[in-house]
C-alpha cells in the first residue's frame, strides 16, 4: 500500500503518523502566563536533541477546531520558560486530566491534584509527583503552518535536572524505578518496562 499524505485530510494523516511512530515518551509540560496562572499539558511528540548543549524538544499541534495556539505554546513564547515533567505510571491518571481542553484561566494543577514545587532557575513550577523534572529556558521555536493540524517545534535548553534520589545511581537513572509510560495510538498507552530486553551494540 502506498499513501501520499498530501491526498489525506490532516486528521487521517495524523492517525497514520501516531499509529506508526510509537511508543512515544510523554512530556508533561508546566508553564505560566504573564498573569501568574499556571498550566500543565501532556505532549507525546517529545524527544532529546543534544547533550552539549543539553537540548530537548516537543511539538504542540495547533487546535483542531480553529488552528489557534495552545496555552502552553502561548505561555512559553511569552515567558521563555517551561518545565518538562517525566510521566511515570503512578501519575498517568492525573496526567490524563491535564489533557482536557480547559479555558486558559483554569489552573490544571488544581484540576488534576498535582502539587506545585518551586523551580530553582525559572518561574514555572515543577510537578512534585514527577520523578524527573527538567527546568528549561526557550532555545528556539519553529512554526510549521497556522491551520488545524499544523504544529510548532519548541526547543528548550535544560538549565536544571531534578531526579528523585531513589532513581539515581552511578550517574544514571534506574529505568525500572522510573517506570515511565509511553503513548500509543488513540487512547492506548504502554508500560515501557513491561518486557525489557538487552541488545549489545556490535
Amino acid at each position: 500500500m502506498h499513501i501520499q499524505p498530501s491526498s489525506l485530510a490532516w486528521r487521517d494523516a495524523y492517525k497514520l503518523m501516531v499509529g506508526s511512530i510509537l511508543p512515544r515518551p510523554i512530556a508533561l509540560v508546566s508553564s505560566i502566563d504573564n498573569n501568574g496562572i499556571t498550566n500543565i499539558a501532556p505532549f507525546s511528540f517529545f524527544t532529546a536533541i543534544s547533550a552539549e548543549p543539553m537540548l530537548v524538544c516537543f511539538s504542540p499541534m495547533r487546535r483542531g477546531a480553529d488552528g489557534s495556539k495552545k496555552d502552553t505554546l502561548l505561555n512559553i513564547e511569552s515567558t521563555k520558560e517551561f518545565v518538562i515533567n517525566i510521566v511515570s505510571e503512578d501519575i498517568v491518571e492525573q496526567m490524563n486530566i491535564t489533557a482536557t481542553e480547559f479555558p486558559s484561566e483554569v489552573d490544571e494543577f488544581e484540576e488534576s491534584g498535582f502539587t506545585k514545587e518551586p523551580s530553582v532557575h525559572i518561574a514555572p513550577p515543577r510537578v512534585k509527583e514527577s520523578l524527573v523534572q527538567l527546568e528549561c529556558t526557550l532555545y528556539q521555536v519553529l512554526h510549521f503552518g497556522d491551520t488545524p493540524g499544523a504544529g510548532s517545534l519548541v526547543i528548550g535548553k535544560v538549565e536544571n535536572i531534578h531526579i528523585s534520589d531513589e532513581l539515581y545511581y552511578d550517574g544514571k537513572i534506574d529505568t525500572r524505578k522510573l517506570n515511565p509510560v509511553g503513548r500509543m495510538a488513540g487512547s492506548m498507552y504502554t508500560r515501557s518496562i513491561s518486557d525489557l530486553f538487552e541488545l549489545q551494540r556490535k
Side-chain angles (χ1 to χ4, degrees):
M1 181 179 293
H2 304 280
I3 300 174
Q4 289 185 304
S6 59
S7 68
L8 301 174
W10 75 265
R11 292 184 189 276
D12 294 327
Y14 173 82
K15 292 174 184 176
L16 296 182
M17 184 165 57
V18 299
S20 56
I21 303 172
L22 42 79
R24 300 185 306 280
I26 303 167
L28 185 60
V29 180
S30 51
S31 61
I32 192 168
D33 69 11
N34 288 324
N35 296 317
I37 299 175
T38 50
N39 175 274
I40 318 174
F43 299 90
S44 66
F45 290 6
F46 161 52
T47 193
I49 298 177
S50 62
E52 181 56 45
M54 190 173 187
L55 300 177
V56 293
C57 65
F58 74 97
S59 297
M61 290 181 64
R62 295 294 184 112
R63 287 193 173 95
D66 58 6
S68 63
K69 295 179 180 179
K70 294 181 178 179
D71 294 339
T72 298
L73 180 56
L74 292 171
N75 290 350
I76 292 172
E77 287 185 306
S78 177
T79 68
K80 309 294 190 292
E81 298 177 336
F82 59 98
V83 181
I84 290 180
N85 305 276
I86 302 301
V87 178
S88 300
E89 186 177 359
D90 57 354
I91 65 169
V92 73
E93 294 287 347
Q94 288 171 281
M95 177 223 67
N96 193 43
I97 294 172
T98 69
T100 305
E101 284 280 353
F102 292 109
S104 58
E105 64 271 15
V106 171
D107 186 335
E108 283 85 358
F109 274 95
E110 296 178 5
E111 296 295 327
S112 64
F114 278 131
T115 307
K116 294 177 184 177
E117 185 78 3
S119 294
V120 175
H121 294 291
I122 62 176
R126 298 174 282 136
V127 173
K128 183 177 182 179
E129 291 79 3
S130 173
L131 299 178
V132 179
Q133 308 134 7
L134 310 176
E135 292 185 28
C136 300
T137 54
L138 181 61
Y139 187 86
Q140 189 176 7
V141 59
L142 302 172
H143 301 294
F144 303 97
D146 56 7
T147 60
S152 302
L153 181 67
V154 177
I155 302 173
K157 183 176 185 289
V158 179
E159 305 290 355
N160 205 18
I161 307 170
H162 302 269
I163 305 170
S164 178
D165 290 345
E166 67 208 49
L167 304 184
Y168 188 81
Y169 76 102
D170 192 27
K172 301 187 287 280
I173 292 173
D174 188 325
T175 305
R176 294 182 185 277
K177 291 181 179 179
L178 177 59
N179 192 21
V181 295
R183 182 74 190 273
M184 304 294 279
S187 59
M188 300 299 293
Y189 291 78
T190 183
R191 296 177 176 88
S192 299
I193 65 170
S194 61
D195 191 19
L196 291 178
F197 64 94
E198 188 173 359
L199 188 62
Q200 296 291 340
R201 185 175 297 182
K202 300 296 184 184

